[in-house]
Amino acid sequence: MTAFPSDIDISRAASKLPIAEVAARLDIPDEALVPYGRDKAKVERAFLDGLSGRPDGKLILVTAINPTPAGEGKTTTTVGLGDGLNAIGRRAAICLREPSLGPCFGQKGGAAGGGRAQVVPMEDINLHFTGDFHAITSAHNLLAAMVDNHIHWGNALGLDPRRVVWRRVVDMNDRALRDIVVSLGGPSNGMPRETGFDITVASEVMAIVCLASDIADLEARLGRIVVGYRQDRSAVTAADLKATGAMAALLRDAMLPNLVQTLENNPAFVHGGPFANIAHGCNSVVATKAALKLADYVVTEAGFGADLGAEKFFDIKCRMAGLRPDATVIVATVRALKMNGGVARSALASENVEALRKGAANLGRHIENVRGFGVPVIVAINHFATDTAAELDALKAYVARMGVEAVVCRHWAEGSSGILELAQKVAALADGGTADFAPIYADDLSLIGKVETVVRRIYRGKAVTAEPQVMKELERFEAAGFGHLPVCLAKTPYSFSTDPALIGAPEGHIVHIRDVRLSAGAGFVVVICGDILTMPGLPRTPAAEHISLGLDGLIEGLS
Amino acid sequence: MTAFPSDIDISRAASKLPIAEVAARLDIPDEALVPYGRDKAKVERAFLDGLSGRPDGKLILVTAINPTPAGEGKTTTTVGLGDGLNAIGRRAAICLREPSLGPCFGQKGGAAGGGRAQVVPMEDINLHFTGDFHAITSAHNLLAAMVDNHIHWGNALGLDPRRVVWRRVVDMNDRALRDIVVSLGGPSNGMPRETGFDITVASEVMAIVCLASDIADLEARLGRIVVGYRQDRSAVTAADLKATGAMAALLRDAMLPNLVQTLENNPAFVHGGPFANIAHGCNSVVATKAALKLADYVVTEAGFGADLGAEKFFDIKCRMAGLRPDATVIVATVRALKMNGGVARSALASENVEALRKGAANLGRHIENVRGFGVPVIVAINHFATDTAAELDALKAYVARMGVEAVVCRHWAEGSSGILELAQKVAALADGGTADFAPIYADDLSLIGKVETVVRRIYRGKAVTAEPQVMKELERFEAAGFGHLPVCLAKTPYSFSTDPALIGAPEGHIVHIRDVRLSAGAGFVVVICGDILTMPGLPRTPAAEHISLGLDGLIEGLS
């Protein structure tokens, strides 16, 4: 028996097509491509603008149960499903987020899929790719430099240095930068104050790039960014600082979607990557809309489990962009459901139908939730070698009782040939026209009312609590004209509740709002429930220690 | 009379060739290119490796008198001379540094030449280009994160947190980051300590990328970086932290030279951009060596005036890379020499032959200095509309008395047709075989002896002074085995002395060493004389306020 090859070995053995040939599958002409090497390209603005009159393809969201250390394979399934749809003769494109450098050098590894369901070139996508994250970092930090520069040169706008809320960002896991004091060393270095760095994916500029529909919208959103407040609590914006144009110039190319290919040479747009807690966790609107004009089926994913990812995909991205999803795939694994049923990670290899049935309640809850948005559901059981027939049967039976199909998928090991059944059924579901999408709350509900709706209907909590000053801040946002915005809840991805240990399908818990922040440019109010790190740290032994560059230019150790 | 068009208008009106056609002028085959858009490319490693057996072309350095606010036009002359050599039928390539984002948004503007002597696409080159600076920033900051992470997780290497010397970098003018305290907020955020950010061009990683001959040399140099010291003053390196491989992986593409074109479609390598004070201020060795294999004449430049730029080009870059320059062009303008002769900036438009003659001493000193390296010299008088015949004659006569030719050049207004005479004479000078290059000090001279040699022979100072602890630090470097390294002096570019107001050709001054730093990876000892900012600030009205992005994707306001 030979060992299954590693992701990077499979990636390198891929027979990549020149990117122009991949683009041709979507009838994107060569002259509409901005090549980055032979196997990556951005798609030109003028070509995208010319697509507006075309009809849209079907939009399919891939989401998942709550993540566990056992792994679910959401990105892998998104890639596999795209390949599967192409294999059954459908014109399908994939839309993914771009990976952050932080996890690559930290613990999690890259985010280009796995096994026989990957996008390539894996090393490039996981490292600098086409430079989008660097552009976002630069635009974010230019604004930060202009904030401190404005204060330094006399502070004509009257910014309260104690109430500057615009931090800096770096695409790196660097805990030392979470809380810092800047401008030490005397008057020529500016006005000392407390601040810090977040990871780039947590930047509001990242969320803006991913939600903006075009350059005009980008500039308008950038201009609305609130960098801080005056002593009278009135807001100072990026437009007030005249930073908008230069930020937009830095983001010119970052706004263009990136095209790569799967191992099976099918088109994949990999573009944008906002955090899935303090931002909305989906790939860019520009890429999704372009894909819908170019393909008959577009498969995309959203960060974390469906309670965070799908909810924000529906209530933030689809609401803002006018997208109408046609079907949702919820990815589950026998292993992860057994963990949700109380099995320790070390015991996952043994059959345990009872624990599986218990843990399946987590999946059941997500199925109900997604249906609540009016979108039909199918379950993808991402197959592992240790899954037993009894477990798979029990899981299918559980799902069937909810009137939903569950399909076992072997795309990780087999590529598209392992996911043909799911592809057929997803296509039928999307074509069936049963979707009747609507967000779960209206724009004109109060901000706290929106939070309560999400907590009640998605998290199944019984109440929302908050300190008086948090409630007052929400009222202040409403008074300033931001009451119509959707809310973006940041909480642990591991549970429906705010307690990561409360796995399965808890209900009746209390959700406490710790803090609220206005992302006026992105266009949502961030509601922080529990401890959310916007700057990760490196682990004791960072993955970086095992990454190397060969003399042949091949990178080793990326996963 | 119509106004002369702006740099950006000229740049946009350029008839660019597809980059593959530009490459073909140097017989670089299409398959050796990694395209970045249609008009930029990197050159593949395998192709470069295959060039090693070929003979080298002639190497021509363009340097200048001490810079003044009047402007000298060193980059413009480098581009113009490259075009001029091509216009007279010589196969010539240009090697330039990449611009930093900092000055683009601050005060100075971009660095792609000017008038009819530019490299294009100007906006791309001035903004993210091919991402090299972003890669260098990431590699630098990964090491910084690994330093603090190592201390956080138990500090097995025994780094003294008070003696960490590795700072962080950002490619931005941001004075607030010069002096900061990190790791505040409790134990989970690491060990609080003082540190700061430099601008990316000041990163030792930038200098390493520009001096490394190949991947093996890159990795070796990265590994030698000293990040800090233990309590016993022994050094801790990047190799000790196991950071080298991941840093090299991040720098894989940044090590490949970038090819663009001039307005006249001639090949230009724009690659690397180390600071010209605390680093050596030249484009990459990889690009220069590749150009020498591919072209018969290679025109390159070095930062600031010849006292800083040419000295480091000769004593650091040429010494390390085994380059043997064939000719040097010193760029001077009538305006700048009149300023050196005491004329105020507001009075430069009036003829003043006497002030010119007085200020010409600055040029004369640089001519003598460059000859001291055994390299023949020619002077390029970069013509301005206000120059009078009497002034030009006086300048030519001054230079002729030193046995050197001075040629009036009009490339800014006219392109190659304005610089044909210089091109003919430079080619003849380089072909003449009169060069007998040697650095001005030997490797085995003591570090302080090297400083004294530069001060005596180049700056014409009478003595070098330093506090005892600085002298002790130099002895410590020698004891640790770094005594053989060249020295990299950081001082004001505006004067031969350390006093920026002392223009012209001062002598007999005292040069005081304020600080010394070991750049063990780059391979030099930085000797800081006077106040050197490694992180600029933005001016009261940053250039960023006037930059914008049109709805057509065109960037306005870059200069």
Side-chain angles (χ1 to χ4, degrees):
Chain A
M1 178 179 161
T2 45
F4 197 80
S6 70
D7 286 359
I8 197 159
D9 287 340
I10 293 174
S11 165
R12 266 192 209 141
S15 303
K16 281 182 291 184
L17 290 181
I19 196 65
E21 290 182 36
V22 178
R25 294 189 168 200
L26 296 177
D27 295 327
I28 304 173
D30 195 39
E31 59 270 22
L33 297 179
V34 187
Y36 284 69
R38 305 283 166 184
D39 47 13
K40 309 177 289 293
K42 284 184 170 280
V43 183
E44 283 278 13
R45 185 165 284 115
F47 173 77
L48 297 176
D49 290 347
L51 299 174
S52 57
R54 298 195 194 181
D56 283 331
K58 301 293 182 186
L59 180 56
I60 299 151
L61 173 69
V62 176
T63 183
I65 58 173
N66 289 92
T68 72
E72 290 69 43
K74 196 171 49 192
T75 304
T76 303
T77 302
T78 306
V79 175
L81 178 56
D83 281 339
L85 285 163
N86 277 287
I88 62 168
R90 307 302 175 105
R91 183 183 170 106
I94 295 160
C95 284
L96 295 176
R97 287 168 294 160
E98 299 178 54
S100 162
L101 281 178
C104 276
F105 296 122
Q107 203 146 29
K108 178 170 170 284
R116 307 259 179 229
Q118 296 185 50
V119 285
V120 286
M122 183 264 231
E123 297 98 315
D124 297 38
I125 294 171
N126 276 322
L127 295 180
H128 309 294
F129 200 24
T130 58
D132 295 340
F133 284 21
H134 293 313
I136 287 163
T137 303
S138 296
H140 185 117
N141 290 340
L142 172 62
L143 178 56
M146 290 177 79
V147 167
D148 279 298
N149 192 58
H150 180 83
I151 296 171
H152 176 73
W153 287 106
N155 199 6
L157 291 168
L159 251 174
D160 183 345
R162 304 163 307 176
R163 291 197 173 91
V164 172
V165 294
W166 193 250
R167 292 157 56 89
R168 287 170 175 80
V169 296
V170 62
D171 192 19
M172 197 60 67
N173 289 3
D174 193 348
R175 70 171 63 74
L177 295 178
R178 285 174 189 153
D179 286 305
I180 68 175
V181 172
V182 297
S183 289
L184 299 172
S188 64
N189 293 353
M191 185 78 72
R193 62 183 187 84
E194 283 186 68
T195 181
F197 280 69
D198 297 324
I199 191 165
T200 296
V201 291
S203 164
E204 187 179 349
V205 178
M206 174 70 82
I208 288 172
V209 165
C210 290
L211 288 168
S213 52
D214 54 26
I215 290 179
D217 189 30
L218 173 75
E219 296 223 27
R221 287 171 182 269
L222 292 172
R224 288 196 291 267
I225 290 173
V226 173
V227 299
Y229 299 90
R230 298 184 183 84
Q231 291 222 15
D232 67 3
R233 299 293 179 94
S234 62
V236 175
T237 65
D240 294 333
L241 287 164
K242 303 193 182 117
T244 314
M247 292 174 76
L250 281 167
L251 297 169
R252 182 191 61 176
D253 298 339
M255 280 290 290
L256 302 177
N258 306 300
L259 182 67
V260 292
Q261 62 194 291
T262 66
L263 292 173
E264 301 189 10
N265 309 124
N266 294 310
F269 293 98
V270 179
H271 191 218
F275 241 29
N277 43 44
I278 67 153
H280 61 290
C282 308
N283 77 295
S284 77
V285 165
V286 168
T288 305
K289 286 196 159 181
L292 285 169
K293 298 297 184 189
L294 294 164
D296 297 323
Y297 299 86
V298 174
V299 187
T300 190
E301 42 123 46
F304 295 139
D307 53 329
L308 283 170
E311 191 274 319
K312 289 171 186 171
F313 175 79
F314 294 137
D315 278 328
I316 297 179
K317 180 175 175 178
C318 291
R319 177 197 304 261
M320 282 191 199
L323 298 170
R324 299 191 59 78
D326 296 284
T328 297
V329 178
I330 302 182
V331 181
T333 64
V334 167
R335 292 158 54 87
L337 290 176
K338 285 195 291 189
M339 282 199 87
N340 266 289
V343 176
R345 192 175 178 181
S346 55
L348 287 174
S350 312
E351 181 176 278
N352 191 333
V353 174
E354 192 161 347
L356 173 75
R357 283 204 186 100
K358 188 170 164 226
N362 183 271
L363 171 61
R365 179 71 59 78
H366 288 297
I367 292 172
E368 284 173 12
N369 283 350
V370 169
R371 283 172 157 175
F373 288 94
V375 183
V377 174
I378 189 166
V379 171
I381 304 175
N382 186 13
H383 184 263
F384 275 71
T386 50
D387 297 352
T388 70
E391 288 171 334
L392 292 169
D393 287 345
L395 179 53
K396 285 185 180 182
Y398 175 91
V399 171
R401 280 195 297 276
M402 299 185 72
V404 167
E405 263 195 291
V407 182
V408 177
C409 303
R410 294 182 166 81
H411 48 285
W412 184 85
E414 300 173 12
S416 65
S417 62
I419 197 169
L420 297 176
E421 186 188 351
L422 183 74
Q424 292 283 8
K425 288 182 169 163
V426 165
L429 197 65
D431 291 341
T434 56
D436 184 23
F437 168 71
I440 57 165
Y441 54 79
D443 289 349
D444 59 6
L445 193 62
S446 68
L447 292 171
I448 192 70
K450 290 168 183 167
V451 176
E452 285 166 349
T453 304
V454 173
V455 167
R456 193 176 64 245
R457 291 195 45 190
I458 306 296
Y459 304 165
R460 313 298 175 97
K462 71 175 177 195
V464 175
T465 59
E467 301 299 318
Q469 67 268 28
V470 167
M471 293 301 296
K472 199 165 174 68
E473 189 78 352
L474 287 176
E475 285 161 25
R476 214 177 277 125
F477 294 161
E478 287 174 347
F482 298 107
H484 65 289
L485 296 181
V487 291
C488 181
L489 276 72
K491 69 162 184 64
T492 175
Y494 301 112
S495 169
F496 278 101
S497 75
T498 56
D499 174 3
L502 214 55
I503 55 176
E507 56 190 0
H509 45 271
I510 288 171
V511 172
H512 183 70
I513 305 178
R514 194 168 60 82
D515 193 12
V516 291
R517 295 181 198 165
L518 176 61
S519 289
F524 49 69
V525 171
V526 180
V527 177
I528 298 176
C529 311
D531 290 327
I532 296 297
L533 275 183
T534 51
M535 172 55 89
L538 291 170
R540 183 182 291 270
T541 304
E545 292 187 8
H546 305 295
I547 293 172
S548 63
L549 178 66
L551 297 187
D552 49 6
L554 289 182
I555 294 170
E556 304 295 341
L558 271 181
S559 63
Chain B
M1 177 179 161
T2 45
F4 197 80
S6 71
D7 285 358
I8 198 159
D9 287 340
I10 294 174
S11 166
R12 269 195 205 136
S15 302
K16 281 182 292 183
L17 290 181
I19 196 65
E21 291 182 36
V22 178
R25 294 189 167 197
L26 296 177
D27 295 327
I28 305 173
D30 195 39
E31 60 270 21
L33 296 178
V34 186
Y36 284 69
R38 305 283 166 184
D39 47 13
K40 308 177 290 295
K42 285 184 169 280
V43 183
E44 283 278 16
R45 185 165 283 115
F47 173 76
L48 297 176
D49 290 346
L51 299 174
S52 58
R54 298 195 193 180
D56 282 331
K58 301 292 181 188
L59 180 56
I60 299 150
L61 173 69
V62 176
T63 183
I65 57 173
N66 288 91
T68 71
E72 290 68 44
K74 198 172 47 192
T75 303
T76 303
T77 302
T78 305
V79 175
L81 179 56
D83 282 338
L85 285 164
N86 277 288
I88 63 168
R90 308 301 176 104
R91 184 183 170 107
I94 295 159
C95 284
L96 295 176
R97 287 168 294 160
E98 299 177 53
S100 163
L101 281 177
C104 277
F105 295 121
Q107 203 147 28
K108 177 171 171 284
R116 307 256 179 232
Q118 296 185 50
V119 285
V120 287
M122 183 262 230
E123 298 99 314
D124 297 38
I125 294 170
N126 276 323
L127 295 180
H128 308 293
F129 199 25
T130 59
D132 295 340
F133 283 21
H134 293 313
I136 287 163
T137 303
S138 296
H140 185 117
N141 291 340
L142 173 62
L143 178 55
M146 290 177 80
V147 167
D148 279 298
N149 192 57
H150 180 83
I151 295 171
H152 176 72
W153 287 107
N155 198 4
L157 290 168
L159 252 174
D160 183 344
R162 303 163 307 177
R163 291 198 173 92
V164 172
V165 294
W166 192 251
R167 292 157 57 91
R168 287 170 176 81
V169 296
V170 63
D171 192 19
M172 197 61 67
N173 289 4
D174 193 349
R175 71 170 64 73
L177 295 177
R178 285 175 189 153
D179 286 304
I180 68 176
V181 172
V182 297
S183 289
L184 300 173
S188 64
N189 293 353
M191 185 78 72
R193 62 182 186 84
E194 284 187 67
T195 182
F197 280 69
D198 298 322
I199 191 164
T200 297
V201 290
S203 164
E204 187 180 348
V205 178
M206 174 70 82
I208 288 172
V209 165
C210 290
L211 288 168
S213 52
D214 54 26
I215 291 180
D217 189 31
L218 173 75
E219 296 223 28
R221 286 171 182 268
L222 292 173
R224 288 196 292 266
I225 290 173
V226 173
V227 299
Y229 299 90
R230 297 183 183 84
Q231 292 222 14
D232 67 3
R233 300 293 180 95
S234 62
V236 175
T237 65
D240 294 333
L241 286 164
K242 302 194 183 115
T244 313
M247 292 174 76
L250 282 167
L251 297 170
R252 182 191 61 177
D253 299 339
M255 280 289 291
L256 302 177
N258 306 300
L259 182 68
V260 292
Q261 62 194 292
T262 67
L263 292 173
E264 301 189 10
N265 311 124
N266 294 310
F269 292 98
V270 179
H271 192 218
F275 241 29
N277 44 43
I278 67 152
H280 61 292
C282 308
N283 78 296
S284 78
V285 165
V286 169
T288 305
K289 287 196 158 181
L292 285 168
K293 297 297 184 190
L294 295 163
D296 297 325
Y297 299 86
V298 174
V299 186
T300 190
E301 42 124 46
F304 295 139
D307 53 329
L308 282 170
E311 190 274 319
K312 289 171 187 172
F313 175 78
F314 294 137
D315 278 328
I316 297 178
K317 180 174 175 178
C318 292
R319 178 197 304 260
M320 281 191 198
L323 299 171
R324 299 191 59 77
D326 296 285
T328 297
V329 177
I330 302 182
V331 181
T333 63
V334 166
R335 291 158 56 87
L337 289 175
K338 286 196 292 189
M339 281 199 88
N340 266 289
V343 176
R345 193 174 178 181
S346 55
L348 287 174
S350 313
E351 182 177 279
N352 191 332
V353 175
E354 191 162 348
L356 174 76
R357 282 204 187 101
K358 188 170 164 226
N362 183 271
L363 171 60
R365 180 70 61 79
H366 288 298
I367 292 172
E368 283 173 12
N369 284 349
V370 168
R371 283 171 157 176
F373 288 94
V375 183
V377 174
I378 188 166
V379 171
I381 305 175
N382 186 15
H383 184 263
F384 275 71
T386 50
D387 298 351
T388 70
E391 288 172 334
L392 291 170
D393 287 345
L395 180 52
K396 285 184 181 184
Y398 176 91
V399 172
R401 280 195 296 277
M402 299 185 74
V404 167
E405 263 196 289
V407 182
V408 177
C409 303
R410 292 180 166 82
H411 47 285
W412 184 85
E414 300 172 13
S416 63
S417 62
I419 197 169
L420 297 177
E421 186 189 350
L422 183 73
Q424 292 283 10
K425 287 181 171 165
V426 166
L429 196 66
D431 291 343
T434 55
D436 185 22
F437 168 71
I440 57 164
Y441 54 79
D443 290 349
D444 60 5
L445 192 62
S446 68
L447 292 171
I448 193 71
K450 290 168 183 168
V451 177
E452 285 166 349
T453 303
V454 173
V455 167
R456 191 177 65 246
R457 291 196 44 190
I458 306 296
Y459 304 164
R460 313 297 175 97
K462 73 175 175 194
V464 175
T465 59
E467 300 299 318
Q469 67 269 27
V470 166
M471 293 301 296
K472 199 163 173 68
E473 190 77 352
L474 287 177
E475 285 161 25
R476 215 176 276 125
F477 293 160
E478 287 173 346
F482 297 107
H484 65 290
L485 296 181
V487 291
C488 180
L489 276 71
K491 70 160 183 65
T492 175
Y494 301 111
S495 168
F496 278 102
S497 75
T498 56
D499 174 2
L502 213 56
I503 55 176
E507 55 190 0
H509 45 272
I510 288 172
V511 172
H512 184 69
I513 305 177
R514 194 168 61 83
D515 193 11
V516 291
R517 296 180 197 164
L518 176 62
S519 289
F524 48 69
V525 172
V526 180
V527 177
I528 297 177
C529 310
D531 290 326
I532 296 297
L533 276 183
T534 51
M535 172 54 90
L538 291 170
R540 183 182 290 270
T541 304
E545 292 187 8
H546 306 294
I547 293 172
S548 64
L549 178 66
L551 297 187
D552 49 5
L554 289 183
I555 294 170
E556 304 294 340
L558 270 180
S559 63

